[in-house]
Amino acid sequence: KQWYQRRVHGRDKGALQEGDKVLVIGASGGCGLAGVHLAKALGASEIVGVCSGKNKDMVIEQGATKVVDYTAEKVEDVFSTEYFDVVYDTATGSGGGEDYFTVSESLLKKDKRAKNVILNGGLWTWVSYFCGLQKPTEGWC
């Protein structure tokens, strides 16, 4: 339940609407799967998950319409710039060294409603947010 509550917060920041194209980076993890589920439930027309090829079938079964295997190709080579209405990134800042921020920004449509929602960070990042020592930057939740 807690994961989905966080996803709803991400949806609010992203303003996901029926018919939108959504990119979920880290789609095979718990947060990523919640993003796939919510995008499907909210009527996204296209849900693209980024994960390893070994998790492709599972992510498709959970609602993604396409999967980009990050071990074989780069998402920015598969889709044109400004393609997605919402980018939901659960990999950047997860501790594995991934940084999709620049790629996410280039793939995101440049309108007022489009959002790049990033949901990760190291322990200090989350402790400092919860203690009020720092505020999340725009797009982070």
Side-chain angles (χ1 to χ4, degrees):
K1 182 178 177 183
Q2 182 181 29
W3 292 111
Y4 282 87
Q5 288 171 343
R6 289 182 184 162
R7 292 323 59 115
V8 170
H9 176 68
R11 183 198 68 82
D12 291 342
K13 289 189 74 84
L16 177 63
Q17 296 179 0
E18 189 171 344
D20 279 355
K21 296 176 185 174
V22 179
L23 175 65
V24 181
I25 301 171
S28 61
C31 294
L33 284 174
V36 169
H37 293 165
L38 283 173
K40 183 176 180 180
L42 293 170
S45 64
E46 188 170 355
I47 305 165
V48 177
V50 177
C51 64
S52 66
K54 69 180 183 180
N55 293 319
K56 176 182 179 177
D57 292 339
M58 184 261 299
V59 172
I60 295 285
E61 288 170 7
Q62 296 297 313
T65 56
K66 179 175 177 56
V67 166
V68 175
D69 176 356
Y70 71 86
T71 67
E73 56 192 346
K74 294 181 178 180
V75 68
E76 63 268 32
D77 293 339
V78 178
F79 294 95
S80 61
T81 57
E82 298 188 34
Y83 185 83
F84 293 99
D85 299 290
V86 175
V87 176
Y88 184 63
D89 179 358
T90 68
T92 297
S94 67
E98 298 92 340
D99 186 355
Y100 284 93
F101 183 77
T102 303
V103 170
S104 297
E105 288 291 305
S106 72
L107 294 173
L108 192 64
K109 290 181 180 176
K110 305 297 183 224
D111 62 32
K112 292 180 180 180
R113 192 178 57 76
K115 289 290 182 184
N116 185 1
V117 180
I118 303 169
L119 178 82
N120 268 316
L123 178 60
W124 173 245
T125 302
W126 285 103
V127 169
S128 61
Y129 290 160
F130 289 125
C131 293
L133 300 174
Q134 73 175 339
K135 302 287 184 207
T137 57
E138 177 62 29
W140 288 66
C141 65

